[in-house]
Amino acid sequence: MSSQPSVPANVVSDPGVQQTQVEGGVEHTAHIAIAPRDLYGYRVYNATGTARVFAGRSTIYYRAGDEAMYAVVNRFLERIQWVQLMAWNNDTDATQHYEYSYSTGLTITQGSEVTNGFNLGASYEGMSIGVDHSRRTFKTTETTSSLTTTITVSVPPRSELIFYQKRFEFRDEITFINDAWGQEWNIGPWGGYKPLTTKVSSVNIMAEEYFTKSARLPEGPGSVTVDSVPSASLAGWTRKRENVTPSAKDTLTSMRI
């Protein structure tokens, strides 16, 4: 930035420490002609390996010629679940028809206070991940908005029909960078430099995929392979939390960190 906040006395007393970043290896499935599996055997499929599916930055605030703050997001797929939402029992000798409505959308189930700083859900829109030799891209109606769809199901005589909807479960590990005094700084903990100040959020996406089945799925779990991406880049230097700018400290407090 062209100009920076006035330099407080603690800049001299806390020059920061250089950050050494350990890069996570890129894990991926072999690029050969393998058909995706039909993942309908269990209710739960746990991700194997590192399963880092997204790494990047989101801007929390930017004040030209003054300072900025960024969220550094490393996102992991934890599991895929088929959530049982409805079951119909047909005790008659004729096929019965029912209408049912289901909805897509994103929910932050843990650490939702992060939205006081930036729109975490927006970073999911258009995200593409590799799972079991196939790509999955998340739509607007699964992330930043929702969509309710009504379907008609037919239940044969003397049978049960169960409705399952797919849910993706993620964990976001978020650290922070303060751009001030002419350079970028990772924000360390109070009184030190490691570990970096971190916010962990859990996110569920109710996806558009669903299916019906005449038998209940066993719990499992099964497993899925996931293409992993390298970890997000950090700043070159780290400062103690008490020595970043007042705006950065206030923003962290607003996110309950």
Side-chain angles (χ1 to χ4, degrees):
M1 297 185 183
S2 58
S3 62
Q4 298 295 334
S6 59
V7 180
N10 60 20
V11 171
V12 178
S13 61
D14 180 16
V17 296
Q18 192 166 13
Q19 176 71 30
T20 302
Q21 179 157 350
V22 178
E23 290 288 348
V26 181
E27 299 173 4
H28 56 84
T29 52
H31 295 287
I32 56 178
I34 301 177
R37 290 184 297 158
D38 292 329
L39 302 178
Y40 302 111
Y42 300 107
R43 285 187 53 234
V44 179
Y45 287 86
N46 290 330
T48 60
T50 304
R52 183 189 299 105
V53 294
F54 172 85
R57 282 192 187 189
S58 292
T59 300
I60 297 176
Y61 63 79
Y62 178 86
R63 300 167 189 160
D66 186 14
E67 66 167 295
M69 185 175 180
Y70 304 99
V72 180
V73 181
N74 286 284
R75 177 170 301 148
F76 304 86
L77 176 65
E78 295 202 308
R79 66 189 60 84
I80 298 171
Q81 291 209 45
W82 287 109
V83 181
Q84 179 183 323
L85 296 181
M86 190 63 184
W88 297 270
N89 283 294
N90 181 4
D91 294 328
T92 73
D93 293 325
T95 297
Q96 301 295 313
H97 306 282
Y98 303 92
E99 284 194 345
Y100 183 70
S101 297
Y102 70 98
S103 298
T104 61
L106 179 149
T107 303
I108 303 176
T109 60
Q110 175 189 334
S112 60
E113 306 86 3
V114 73
T115 57
N116 294 330
F118 71 103
N119 188 342
L120 180 63
S123 65
Y124 279 85
E125 184 177 6
M127 180 181 71
S128 182
I129 66 175
V131 178
D132 259 27
H133 314 289
S134 66
R135 301 299 300 178
R136 177 61 164 85
T137 301
F138 293 92
K139 300 179 178 179
T140 299
T141 51
E142 296 172 310
T143 53
T144 55
S145 65
S146 61
L147 178 67
T148 298
T149 303
T150 300
I151 61 172
T152 299
V153 297
S154 300
V155 185
R158 305 293 174 183
S159 66
E160 180 182 46
L161 193 67
I162 303 160
F163 180 95
Y164 292 96
Q165 185 178 355
K166 183 178 282 187
R167 183 172 72 198
F168 291 84
E169 300 182 6
F170 298 92
R171 182 182 79 258
D172 286 292
E173 297 180 0
I174 308 163
T175 59
F176 303 92
I177 290 175
N178 189 195
D179 184 350
W181 306 299
Q183 70 178 77
E184 293 185 345
W185 307 88
N186 303 306
I187 301 179
W190 294 108
Y193 302 101
K194 294 181 180 180
L196 299 181
T197 292
T198 303
K199 181 74 172 179
V200 177
S201 296
S202 297
V203 173
N204 288 350
I205 293 179
M206 294 300 290
E208 64 181 9
E209 295 98 327
Y210 74 89
F211 79 103
T212 57
K213 187 176 178 68
S214 58
R216 295 177 184 268
L217 291 176
E219 179 75 13
S223 63
V224 291
T225 58
V226 180
D227 291 357
S228 283
V229 301
S231 58
S233 296
L234 299 171
W237 291 78
T238 300
R239 288 181 62 79
K240 299 174 183 177
R241 179 167 172 173
E242 60 265 33
N243 293 331
V244 298
T245 64
S247 291
K249 285 187 282 191
D250 290 345
T251 301
L252 292 174
T253 299
S254 74
M255 291 188 284
R256 297 186 184 178
I257 303 172

